[in-house]
Amino acid sequence: MFQGVHRNTAVQDRHQLTGRAPQGGVGRDPVLAGRRRAGRGEAGGPGAVGREREAPGAALGGVEVDGSGLVRPRDRLVHGEALDEHGDVTTDNIRAFDWATHRPLPAGQIDTVTSAGRPGEVFEPRHTTHGFRYVRVEGHPGPLTADDVTGVVVHSDLTRTGWFTCSDDRLNHLREAAVWSMRGNICDVPTDCPQRERAAWTGDWQVFLPTAAFLYDVAGFTAKWLADLAADQWANGIVPSFVPGLAGEAARRGSPEGGMNGSVGWGDAAVIVPWEISRAPAKTPA
């Protein structure tokens, strides 16, 4: 088992890992647990990717592995939020189900890495993100050290504009949890969770936007997302429950979630989100 450090990308943080063997881990490889650092992101417009550093907790992004130690065939990196009774990574708690059959679906959050075996080669996923506290590395030919694995925290590069502190550390920790929850759900689009659905539900951003606008400058980010919303809007004006969506209007009408589209709280986002952005005061970062 590895206690870890990571790195933020989109805002991206780099942190090293220290380790211990997993309980009951015969035939298994190290399980990695994260500690993130955060800081100031690189400058950029809506959807830009930057880097930062600081703060303990779960990683929101991915893992970078030094390829000089990777086995030539394949390594598998399994990302999860929890450990089972044997101290091994489990993804049972984040498995979704098929809307039509209600059968459980695979949890995903697995990167399969094929190394060329070149010294100094590094793997870091570029086309996906994961929400996780732990990573199980399978198929690795030898031990991993703190220099071999780096967690990566990924989210859109937004300027911090609001802070809150008080004399009660419980409230301070609650506020910090809200900040990191936002960072884990603001990677180009505002999602509901970083580890499971990762869908940009319209009602979620509508409800959280006042808080988000206090913490960060989200005007450009939100304007981009509202353009997605307008593009996905149905011919009769109905707003889908999440945008952007992979399917067109006809497919979404016929899907199990078709009747939910345009419902109160979700369809209202087309009006309430612009309203909340208009109410957010212009801010200059401290």
Side-chain angles (χ1 to χ4, degrees), residues 205-283:
W205 191 236
Q206 170 192 259
V207 169
F208 188 72
L209 181 54
T211 300
F214 168 78
L215 293 171
Y216 288 90
D217 179 356
V218 293
F221 175 91
T222 303
K224 178 268 177 190
W225 181 74
L226 285 171
D228 293 338
L229 186 150
D232 276 5
Q233 203 166 1
W234 294 2
N236 63 359
I238 283 180
V239 174
S241 296
F242 57 88
V243 294
L246 298 177
E249 178 179 341
R252 295 186 83 164
R253 282 182 179 275
S255 72
E257 53 99 13
M260 297 167 47
N261 292 292
S263 57
V264 174
W266 285 261
D268 297 340
V271 174
I272 295 179
V273 169
W275 170 250
E276 291 294 348
I277 282 294
S278 73
R279 295 177 65 227
K283 296 178 181 178

Side-chain angles (χ1 to χ4, degrees), residues 3-132:
Q3 295 278 7
V5 203
H6 34 253
R7 186 187 75 198
N8 270 329
T9 308
V11 174
Q12 187 178 70
D13 278 349
R14 184 182 296 269
H15 317 277
Q16 295 307 310
L17 296 158
T18 58
R20 63 182 175 83
Q23 303 172 20
V26 178
R28 296 283 189 179
D29 292 295
V31 176
L32 313 175
R35 182 174 85 250
R36 65 163 104 60
R37 298 163 56 128
R40 175 71 183 94
E42 293 177 357
V49 171
R51 301 177 193 256
E52 31 174 301
R53 308 201 167 223
E54 216 213 15
L60 308 161
V63 169
E64 179 184 90
V65 179
D66 184 343
S68 60
L70 288 177
V71 65
R72 179 61 185 265
R74 288 185 176 180
D75 276 8
R76 277 183 18 127
L77 309 178
V78 182
H79 305 74
E81 294 182 306
L83 302 178
D84 62 19
E85 64 272 20
H86 303 296
D88 197 5
V89 172
T90 179
T91 58
D92 288 347
N93 65 308
I94 58 174
R95 291 184 66 181
F97 61 88
D98 184 285
W99 282 56
T101 65
H102 295 282
R103 293 177 180 172
L105 298 172
Q109 294 228 113
I110 297 174
D111 292 332
T112 301
V113 186
T114 302
S115 172
R118 292 188 294 265
E121 184 180 27
V122 173
F123 165 76
E124 180 181 331
R126 294 295 184 182
H127 302 288
T128 190
T129 59
H130 307 294
F132 63 98

Side-chain angles (χ1 to χ4, degrees), residues 170-237:
R170 294 172 299 177
L171 293 180
N172 292 331
H173 289 312
L174 178 62
R175 186 269 312 163
E176 188 66 11
V179 171
W180 278 105
S181 178
M182 176 180 172
R183 287 177 171 175
N185 284 293
I186 198 161
C187 190
D188 192 56
V189 295
T191 52
D192 58 340
C193 56
Q195 82 289 18
R196 188 168 169 263
E197 291 182 334
R198 295 189 289 185
W201 291 91
T202 52
D204 293 41
W205 191 236
Q206 170 192 259
V207 169
F208 188 72
L209 181 54
T211 300
F214 168 78
L215 293 171
Y216 288 90
D217 179 356
V218 293
F221 175 91
T222 303
K224 178 268 177 190
W225 181 74
L226 285 171
D228 293 338
L229 186 150
D232 276 5
Q233 203 166 1
W234 294 2
N236 63 359

